[in-house]
Amino acid sequence: MSLAAKDAVGGAATAKKNRTSSVVQFDTSRFADQSGAKARRLALSAIIFTALTLLVLAFGGTIQSIDYHSLVHALRHFPATALGWSVLATAASFAAVIGRDICAVYYVGARTPRLAPLIAGFCGTALGNAVGFGTLTGAAVRYRIYRAVGIRSDEIARLLLFVAGGFGLGLAGFGGLTALIEAGPVSHLLGWPTTLLQVVAGGALTASIILLLFGLRGSVRIGGFCLTAPSKVIAAMQLALTGIRLFCAATALWVLLPGASVDFFSFAAIFSAATALGIVSSIPGGIGLFDATVVWAFAGHASIDQIAAALLAYRGIYFAMPLVLSAALLAIFEARLAIAPGVPTANDRLIEAATQLSPRFMGVIAFATGVMLLVSGATPTFGARLAILSMRLPLWVVETSHFLGSLAGVVFLFVARGLFERRDAAWWLALLMAAASLGLSLAKGLAYGEAGFLAVVIGLLFATKRQFDRPASMLGQPLTIGWVAAAGLIVAAAGIIFFVAFRNADYTARDLWWQFEFDAQAPRALRALLGAAVLAVAVGLWQLLRPPKGLAPRPDLIAVGRAARVLRVQDKSQGMLALMGDKSLLFSEDGDAFIMYGKRGRSWIALFDPIGPIEEWPELIKRFVALAASHGGRAAFYQVRPETLPFYLDAGLSVMKLGEEASIRLAAFDLQGGARAHLRYALKRGEREKLTFELVPPHATPQIMDALAEISDAWLRSHRIKEKGFSIAAFEPGYLASQWIALVRQDGVPVAFASIMTTGILQEAALGLMRHSTDASPYAMEFLFTKLILDLKAMHYGSLSLGMAPLSGVLAAPLASRWHRFGETIWRYGTRLYNFQGLRAFKNKFNPVWEPRYLAASGTLSPFVVLADAMALIGARFKSSGARAWNE
């Protein structure tokens, strides 16, 4: 079996295991395979490093012989007919790829929408060509697409093996056939004896024919998969389509080579060998190794500059163009889902699965954008455009634009990883850098093509925004050694290009670095390259040498049980949020107090004050701050009370006001007077609309859990949001089963509910989760709250917390901080973003006492970063640890 087929088996097996196992099984297998995966990554890195080293040693002299100006001249004067034929051959090659997928679907006996093989074949191959590991990357894309249309995992595995095996066999057969047809010229090009070439080529072709005619019988078991041999007709079709793909791919490059210096079949044989070397090397797109093989084979038959220009044009047509078209296709699918939402059909499920591939494509495009900007900064600007700029812009604008453009290229290299991981911060940074780079490209040299590509990138980013929904910090993303090394190699390659482009510059001149003139392009490019290198090294060292971020483990059953026992003897009912299972827990030395916290990037954010005896707080706060500092993070406490501020000030934290919390003093609450007329009306109106209220105790909550789930799901759908967490209660059955539930029925049907967080001490209660169905009475929630307050008063509770109103009471006094001025501005004019004033107005109906709540965080600027991270933690999709110990 070929290397490509083995990769496909591994990719299919991993994909199948990940999707058919439970969550616990997946996590276990992941940690069990961690050492093996690390060894494979190291081996792969060693292969790539060795290949690149040999490439530099073997072809360093060839690179030095390239004349930059001749290369640019050749690129700008390509015949339109040659470019047209190359594009046509590329289209035919990808049509054959799609045909291979159709054939493979037929082989496994599956039925799919017509769109599925087109997306899987075209997008999978485009991504595989650009990223490298072509078969394995294409397998991942194909798995997602075919899984979305209902093909079973075992059938997908057979399909992937069939495609990979067909490609390996077709490559051997195509290369062997073309080499035999022109054995003499090919042996001369390669420097091999003709007899040796005929033996090798004949052996490859013969092996392909024998496997096709006699070897495809019965079934073959590979690992846990049973691969049924295809019929000879299907196998022949697959080999024929593979041959067409390779034939057209070779044609796409051959028509760009100067003057048909080598006949096509001789070239096709070299092309097949170069393609195989590119696959084995695992270098993205086989870049460098594939190109060097072609240059080496044809160096004596055409100008090195013309061959290099043909290879660059081929890379743009056969690699870059399908990648951008794939991303555009996914962007169109995004628009299709946004414009016509409704009941999902088979095609809609397919399109939804396809759009989830957008981050991969945008990550590759962002990395390519970084390469483009770095190369642009290391090469000279056309003289005519520079003359126009000299009449329009001052010199300092051109110099600054050139320098900043190269720095933006480095940023793109690193932001690409964040896009791969769907980080929202990476999306925003990529959009900002693309918009800034567009202006810089025009200001530094009127680079219209570069600006056009950046405009396309901006459009694709806007179209795919929905897919970047992971609220994670760019500053907190882990950068592997491999990624840092890749960025370093790109910067080094830009340096090589610089020396090729400015080979005639006088590098011995002492004032080279300080020449600031419009026509002093070498010093300008040298400064930009140095700035890019310094930034790349700084980011790499900062990422690799900074302390590990540390982990915030989810609590297990034992930890949740300990927290539940602490809560039973405390009066702070909001501490019940610790039992949701989505926050980490840090206990004091004797276990009588704890802090619940979440982590995002480098922010370690504790929710509320510590829970437990106050005499244990100083030690616990100190330990939490030290824990964050040990991992290079920032410690913070979110929504702390005013009377506890000295603890945080003593710990060296800064304090800023977040808003105010509404607390009803139940003993003083009644329905008398004109101020309570609206509450009396809500009760009467609710009775007329047949609303009834009941307070369900915890032991009876499981009996109504299904009804609560229906109300909750309807509320989420109507508001088009996902379950939140951290400081907001979420619908978690085990968590709700520990609480009182205030339930409102309309005509006997549950329509609204609210969970009531209480502890073992009848002092303070707090509202938890609140939901209502879409057909509930407009007065249902007001009816619920009024009845609840009266019942809690009758049960002799002291107070009921209605939760916080963000930015309430953040006033811009004459000596107020910038935060207070900013907060008041948002409070006054930010209604379109969030109904700040409406929320306070609703809670004011119950005449609460408003108590301030604060954020305590380390550092001067850290509180603002922490606040953004806290909002991201709240907005992140709720994930529970599944703990249930509090019911015991």
Side-chain angles (χ1 to χ4, degrees), residues 549-568:
K549 291 195 306 179
L551 299 175
R554 296 294 175 87
D556 55 17
L557 291 173
I558 298 176
V560 174
R562 291 176 64 188
R565 288 191 292 272
V566 172
L567 286 165
R568 290 192 187 103

Side-chain angles (χ1 to χ4, degrees), residues 284-348:
I287 191 167
L289 196 59
F290 172 90
D291 308 87
T293 303
V294 174
V295 170
W296 173 64
F298 298 109
H301 298 265
S303 167
I304 186 66
D305 305 314
Q306 293 177 321
I307 296 174
L311 286 168
L312 287 174
Y314 172 72
R315 288 285 181 184
I317 293 173
Y318 197 85
F319 288 79
M321 185 177 68
L323 182 69
V324 175
L325 288 177
S326 296
L329 179 64
L330 300 183
I332 293 172
F333 289 158
E334 286 279 5
R336 158 74 174 79
L337 293 176
I339 294 173
V343 179
T345 63
N347 271 337
D348 288 334

Side-chain angles (χ1 to χ4, degrees), residues 70 75 107 163 198 239-240 244 354 490 503 529 539 568 584 589 606 610 618 669 692 714 785 810 841 869:
S70 299
L75 282 172
Y107 158 68
V163 170
Q198 290 174 334
L239 291 181
I244 293 173
I490 296 300
R503 67 172 70 245
L529 184 61
V539 173
R568 290 192 187 103
S584 303
E589 293 293 341
F669 181 85
T692 59
F785 290 151
V810 180
D869 286 339

